[in-house]
C-alpha cells in the first residue's frame, strides 16, 4: 500500500507542471490557485459527506487546519509560482528537494525524533543528483538581485511545505484522517487567497478555454485531491522525512515527460544525476540493520 501511494504521488506531481504552465497565461496566479483549492475542497467535502466519513474537528483541530491551509495550500504555492518568474524551474526543483532534509530536522526539533543517518545521506545524494540533472539550466543562469529574491521565495515556500507536513503528522497522531484535514485546509487556503485578491485588487478573471479549464480540473482532482491525500497519508505512515523524498523524484518524472513531448536531450551528467537520485531513494528507504545481541557471560 505504501509503495502504491508513493508511486501515485510521484507520478501525479511529476505531471502537474504541464497543467501549471497552462494556468499562467491570462488568470492571475493567486486567483488560479484559489480556484484550484476551492474546487478541490468542494469535491472533498462532497465525497466525505456522501460517504459519511467527514470527521468532527474541535477548536484545536480547526486551528491546525487553518495553519495547514496557510502553509500547504496558500503561501508555499504563491512563493513557488512567483519564484518561477525570476529563477529557472530546475533551480526551484533543487531548492524544493531539500524538503527531505528540512522535514528530518524539523521532526527532530519539534517531535524529538531521531534523525536517521541513511535519510540524511539519501536526501543529500538526491539533492546532488538533481543538481546534475539541471546543471545546464543552472549554469546558464546569471545571478542577479531577482535571482536572490527567487531563491529566498523558493526556500521560504519549501519551509512552509515542511511545516505543513509536520502539521498533518500532528493531526494524524490525533486520529484525524488526511481527507478531512485536507478538505478544511484547502478551504481555508482558498479563502485566504481570495481575501488576498480582494485586498490587493487582483481581478477574479477566468479563462473559459479548453486548456485552462482542463488544466484546472487536473490540478484540482489528481493534483490536489488525490496527490495531497496520498502524500500526506505517507507522511503519517512513513514519517515526514521519508515521504518528502517524493520532492526529489517528481522532477525526474517531469524530465522524462519533457523528453517525450518537448525534445529534452539526456546528457552524461544528467544520467549520472538520475543514478544518484535513484541511489538516494534506496538509501532513504533502507531499513537499518537490527543490532546483534551481545551474549551474556555466565
Amino acid at each position: 500500500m505504501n509503495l502504491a501511494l508513493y508511486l501515485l504521488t510521484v507520478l501525479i506531481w511529476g505531471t502537474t507542471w504541464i497543467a501549471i504552465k497552462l494556468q499562467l497565461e491570462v488568470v492571475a496566479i493567486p486567483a488560479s490557485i484559489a480556484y484550484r483549492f476551492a474546487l478541490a475542497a468542494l469535491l472533498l467535502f462532497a465525497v466525505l459527506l456522501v460517504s459519511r466519513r467527514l470527521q468532527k474537528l474541535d477548536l484545536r483541530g480547526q486551528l491546525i487546519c487553518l495553519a495547514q491551509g496557510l502553509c500547504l495550500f496558500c503561501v508555499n504555492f504563491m512563493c513557488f509560482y512567483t519564484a518561477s518568474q525570476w529563477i529557472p524551474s530546475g533551480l526551484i526543483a533543487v531548492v524544493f528537494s531539500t524538503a527531505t532534509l528540512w522535514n528530518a530536522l524539523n521532526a527532530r526539533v519539534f517531535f524529538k525524533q531521531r534523525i536517521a543517518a541513511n535519510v540524511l545521506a539519501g536526501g543529500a545524494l538526491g539533492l546532488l543528483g538533481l543538481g546534475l540533472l539541471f546543471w545546464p539550466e543552472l549554469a546558464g543562469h546569471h545571478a542577479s538581485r531577482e535571482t536572490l529574491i527567487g531563491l529566498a521565495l523558493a526556500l521560504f515556500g519549501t519551509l512552509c511545505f515542511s511545516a505543513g507536513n509536520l502539521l498533518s503528522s500532528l493531526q494524524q497522531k490525533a486520529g484525524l484522517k488526511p481527507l478531512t484535514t485536507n478538505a478544511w485546509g484547502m478551504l481555508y487556503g482558498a479563502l485566504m487567497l481570495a481575501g488576498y485578491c480582494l485586498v490587493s485588487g487582483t481581478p477574479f478573471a477566468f479563462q473559459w478555454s479548453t486548456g485552462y479549464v482542463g488544466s484546472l480540473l487536473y490540478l484540482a482532482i489528481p493534483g490536489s485531491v488525490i496527490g495531497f491525500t496520498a502524500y500526506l497519508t505517507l507522511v503519517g505512515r512513513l514519517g515526514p522525512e521519508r515521504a518528502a523524498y517524493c520532492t526529489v523524484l517528481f522532477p525526474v518524472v517531469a524530465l522524462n515527460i519533457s523528453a517525450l513531448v518537448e525534445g529534452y536531450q539526456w546528457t552524461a551528467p544528467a544520467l549520472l544525476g538520475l543514478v544518484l537520485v535513484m541511489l538516494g531513494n534506496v538509501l532513504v528507504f533502507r531499513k537499518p540493520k537490527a543490532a546483534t545481541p551481545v551474549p551474556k557471560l555466565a
Side-chain angles (χ1 to χ4, degrees):
M1 184 63 177
N2 288 345
L3 179 60
L5 291 171
Y6 191 72
L7 292 175
L8 185 65
T9 303
V10 171
L11 290 174
I12 288 176
W13 283 356
T15 55
T16 52
W17 66 273
I18 302 173
I20 289 174
K21 286 177 69 174
L22 296 173
Q23 294 274 295
L24 301 177
E25 296 176 357
V26 175
V27 182
I29 288 173
S32 276
I33 303 172
Y35 297 153
R36 170 182 178 174
F37 288 119
L39 179 56
L42 179 64
L43 291 171
L44 274 174
F45 275 117
V47 169
L48 289 169
L49 288 171
V50 169
S51 62
R52 297 183 180 181
R53 294 170 61 189
L54 182 64
Q55 294 175 283
K56 292 183 178 180
L57 273 65
D58 57 14
L59 179 59
R60 175 181 179 275
Q62 288 286 2
L63 289 175
I64 295 177
C65 279
L66 180 63
Q68 190 175 333
L70 179 66
C71 293
L72 270 185
F73 309 121
C74 180
V75 175
N76 72 319
F77 275 91
M78 284 293 294
C79 285
F80 287 123
Y81 276 55
T82 306
S84 67
Q85 297 176 341
W86 291 320
I87 60 177
S89 59
L91 187 51
I92 293 176
V94 171
V95 175
F96 191 36
S97 71
T98 62
T100 301
L101 306 178
W102 286 114
N103 278 5
L105 178 62
N106 288 333
R108 173 61 181 171
V109 172
F110 295 105
F111 294 159
K112 308 302 180 185
Q113 293 180 6
R114 185 179 65 86
I115 300 178
N118 62 300
V119 172
L120 288 178
L125 204 59
L127 181 59
L128 177 60
L130 273 190
L132 288 172
L133 278 168
F134 290 105
W135 179 250
E137 188 178 2
L138 305 183
H141 183 72
H142 300 289
S144 64
R145 177 176 175 271
E146 287 74 17
T147 299
L148 295 177
I149 296 173
L151 280 172
L153 286 171
L155 179 58
F156 187 64
T158 304
L159 292 175
C160 287
F161 177 80
S162 177
N165 286 197
L166 298 187
L167 290 168
S168 177
S169 178
L170 198 63
Q171 294 280 60
Q172 292 182 66
K173 288 178 180 179
L176 297 172
K177 303 295 183 183
L179 282 172
T180 293
T181 56
N182 280 356
W184 283 107
M186 289 176 184
L187 175 62
Y188 288 137
L191 290 174
M192 284 184 276
L193 286 163
Y196 170 80
C197 288
L198 289 172
V199 171
S200 64
T202 303
F204 285 99
F206 196 85
Q207 187 178 358
W208 290 101
S209 66
T210 303
Y212 186 83
V213 175
S215 62
L216 178 61
L217 291 173
Y218 186 79
L219 289 171
I221 302 173
S224 300
V225 173
I226 300 175
F228 271 102
T229 300
Y231 174 74
L232 293 177
T233 300
L234 283 175
V235 168
R237 292 185 173 195
L238 301 178
E241 66 283 0
R242 284 183 168 85
Y245 201 82
C246 290
T247 64
V248 178
L249 288 181
F250 73 73
V252 175
V253 174
L255 284 180
N256 277 287
I257 294 175
S258 181
L260 292 174
V261 301
E262 293 184 332
Y264 172 80
Q265 298 293 323
W266 285 95
T267 62
L271 289 172
L272 175 59
L274 179 61
V275 171
L276 292 179
V277 168
M278 294 300 105
L279 287 176
N281 188 66
V282 172
L283 274 177
V284 165
F285 290 98
R286 187 186 66 182
K287 293 183 179 180
K289 294 181 180 179
T292 304
V294 179
K296 296 181 180 180
L297 297 176

